[in-house]
Amino acid sequence: MHVFSNLRMLIRCLQFVGQLSIQNHAEEDGLFRSTRHATSKFVLSFTVSVLACSYLMHCSIDDYDKLSVDGIIWPLVYVVHNATFCAVFCALPWQTYRHRNRLAAALNTLRQNELSLFDLTGSVTDYRVVKLLAVVIVCNTVFFHTFFHAYYITKTHSPDELFLSVYIVDCTFMYFDVVIELVLGLCDCLLLIAHLQLDRLVWIVKNRDQAAMSIDRVLLTYVTTYNSIATVLGDHLCSYFGPLVLLHCSYTCLEAAICILDTNRHIIKIDGIMSIVANILWPLSDLKKLSAVFLLGEGVNRMVEETALCTRHFDDYRLQNTRAAKQIQKFLLKNLHQKKKFSACGFFDIDNTVIYMVFSSIVTYLVILIQFKQLETDLTQAGDGYNVTSNVSTVQP
């Protein structure tokens, strides 16, 4: 029995792309630990990320002069977008390496929780929905990567050297999309596992009388499992995934606004249906990744609160002045002012309210970009009627 056998495919994919620095020692004790070559893998991955970002920014600066012929707004947005992307891209290997031990601790804690629940009930938790989610994440990654890879090759294919330059940039974006899909997918699966364990814990507490379980054993499992999951959410997963969610959220808001305007430009110029579809699917893919994290975060945070309220099921006159009553009192005092939730580095709780924040940010970026673009157009049209020489403006005939 192993709770993470359902995630074997997802974990192997993360190891294959070089963004998972832990492994399971099933032959020894079944625990997750840092890999032997974690530092070497990090140095290689971080170096490649820095080089790719340096090349991307070099191309952005070179393209700035070419694009600024028609105005400076879009070239400036282009550079800012790439700079934001580079910040997230370089933070990814650093974050997955620096907090690898926290991820290992989270996985080991969830595994121990399952063992405790099995010892108490004699049956395992049904994690089939977790396996289904992992399969959907991997298949979705393969599908989108294949589609965009074929699209970019078809769009930019040419025998000259320019194709290689554009292809390297495209591969950089596609690699990042694959990695962030898998990393946030792992976050989704871990949140779902924690939710299922809490849901089963609530059921055990509510039905302990029918199951004829010892009150001391149920209470011990309840307190231990709840505290461990609160630690996993508030400390381990927040430290590992929180900064990535925060950075990717900022990048996605700007990216979505740019893609919306770019799609409008493709529609006006009638560039082809594939260009329009690609510009719609790319930001939708990122919004889908974040929405899944937000919804699952909302679910597990609510489940934590519901589990904490289950102490009322231990309100029995037979427990007065007993060791169990003292344990309940201690548990309530500890968690009265200490509500740990899954959050983005403490900036905001990761729940479904963040979805509205993301869409409002996209609209804000969109309005700002439209205003700047309109201002640039007005200034260009106003300047067409004047000939500026020697600081003297004269109307052209």
Side-chain angles (χ1 to χ4, degrees):
M1 178 198 65
H2 200 290
V3 59
F4 297 110
S5 60
N6 303 283
L7 303 181
R8 188 178 292 113
M9 182 188 302
L10 181 59
I11 291 175
R12 286 180 178 176
C13 289
L14 278 167
Q15 291 172 340
F16 177 75
V17 297
Q19 296 300 329
L20 191 65
S21 300
I22 62 173
Q23 65 180 6
N24 179 251
H25 295 74
E27 298 80 7
E28 300 176 10
D29 50 13
L31 298 178
F32 284 88
R33 299 189 189 89
S34 176
T35 57
R36 183 182 304 176
H37 305 292
T39 303
S40 302
K41 185 187 295 184
F42 161 72
V43 171
L44 178 61
S45 178
F46 188 74
T47 302
V48 171
S49 299
V50 171
L51 291 176
C53 291
S54 300
Y55 181 76
L56 179 61
M57 292 307 301
H58 173 72
C59 294
S60 301
I61 295 173
D62 285 347
D63 294 340
Y64 181 84
D65 294 332
K66 302 175 185 177
L67 297 173
S68 59
V69 176
D70 298 326
I72 64 170
I73 297 301
W74 274 114
L76 184 61
V77 171
Y78 171 66
V79 173
V80 171
H81 169 265
N82 287 345
T84 307
F85 168 81
C86 291
V88 184
F89 191 34
C90 290
L92 187 58
W94 168 260
Q95 187 68 17
T96 55
Y97 170 77
R98 183 187 178 191
H99 294 289
R100 65 192 187 282
N101 292 328
R102 289 184 179 271
L103 179 61
L107 297 177
N108 293 332
T109 300
L110 294 175
R111 172 183 175 275
Q112 183 58 46
N113 288 346
E114 177 60 24
L115 293 176
S116 300
L117 293 173
F118 178 77
D119 290 339
L120 181 63
T121 62
S123 60
V124 297
T125 307
D126 186 3
Y127 292 110
R128 285 179 295 180
V129 64
V130 178
K131 185 175 183 178
L132 177 62
L133 177 60
V135 171
V136 169
I137 290 168
V138 174
C139 293
N140 179 79
T141 303
V142 173
F143 169 77
F144 272 93
H145 179 75
T146 303
F147 170 79
F148 283 110
H149 199 88
Y151 166 73
Y152 285 122
I153 289 180
T154 305
K155 179 183 177 182
T156 61
H157 179 68
S158 62
D160 55 15
E161 295 181 358
L162 182 62
F163 168 73
L164 181 60
S165 174
V166 175
Y167 183 69
I168 292 175
V169 173
D170 291 341
C171 285
T172 301
F173 279 97
M174 287 187 290
Y175 171 77
F176 170 77
D177 185 68
V178 169
V179 171
I180 201 69
E181 175 87 36
L182 296 175
V183 170
L184 294 183
L186 178 62
C187 179
D188 295 337
C189 292
L190 296 182
L191 291 175
L192 186 55
I193 289 173
H195 187 282
L196 292 174
Q197 290 183 348
L198 288 173
D199 185 59
R200 191 174 183 209
L201 186 63
V202 169
W203 184 90
I204 291 173
V205 172
K206 290 180 178 179
N207 297 274
R208 63 181 177 85
D209 292 333
Q210 291 85 342
M213 298 178 185
S214 169
I215 180 63
D216 291 331
R217 289 190 63 196
V218 172
L219 183 58
L220 177 62
T221 303
Y222 168 78
V223 173
T224 304
T225 304
Y226 177 88
N227 288 334
S228 62
I229 290 182
T231 302
V232 166
L233 295 175
D235 295 336
H236 303 323
L237 296 187
C238 280
S239 299
Y240 191 88
F241 295 106
L244 296 178
V245 172
L246 181 63
L247 290 172
H248 190 58
C249 196
S250 303
Y251 167 72
T252 300
C253 292
L254 177 60
E255 177 194 52
I258 294 173
C259 286
I260 291 172
L261 291 180
D262 205 32
T263 301
N264 181 63
R265 180 175 62 85
H266 284 301
I267 294 175
I268 294 175
K269 293 185 177 181
I270 315 178
D271 288 340
I273 189 64
M274 288 302 295
S275 298
I276 298 174
V277 171
N279 272 275
I280 294 175
L281 284 182
W282 189 269
L284 280 181
S285 176
D286 284 332
L287 289 172
K288 177 261 303 175
K289 301 181 188 75
L290 292 174
S291 297
V293 175
F294 298 153
L295 292 174
L296 288 169
E298 167 74 12
V300 75
N301 285 338
R302 285 189 177 182
M303 205 65 209
V304 168
E305 296 177 356
E306 181 181 344
T307 308
L309 296 176
C310 281
T311 51
R312 66 181 183 272
H313 294 285
F314 295 104
D315 188 13
D316 193 331
Y317 71 93
R318 292 171 296 178
L319 298 178
Q320 294 180 358
N321 301 322
T322 62
R323 187 164 62 103
K326 294 179 180 178
Q327 283 183 305
I328 295 173
Q329 185 178 14
K330 183 179 179 180
F331 171 81
L332 291 174
L333 290 174
K334 179 181 179 181
N335 293 279
L336 184 62
H337 302 291
Q338 186 180 1
K339 296 182 179 180
K340 291 188 177 182
K341 292 184 177 181
F342 183 47
S343 66
C345 306
F347 286 95
F348 52 82
D349 291 339
I350 296 179
D351 50 33
N352 55 11
T353 60
V354 187
I355 298 178
Y356 305 108
M357 293 171 53
V358 169
F359 279 98
S360 63
S361 299
I362 293 173
V363 173
T364 302
Y365 278 125
L366 196 58
V367 170
I368 293 173
L369 291 175
I370 292 174
Q371 287 178 339
F372 273 112
K373 186 62 178 176
Q374 186 62 42
L375 176 62
E376 184 182 56
T377 302
D378 294 341
L379 292 176
T380 302
Q381 292 175 350
D384 288 341
Y386 293 88
N387 182 21
V388 182
T389 56
S390 303
N391 296 328
V392 178
S393 300
T394 58
V395 179
Q396 295 178 352

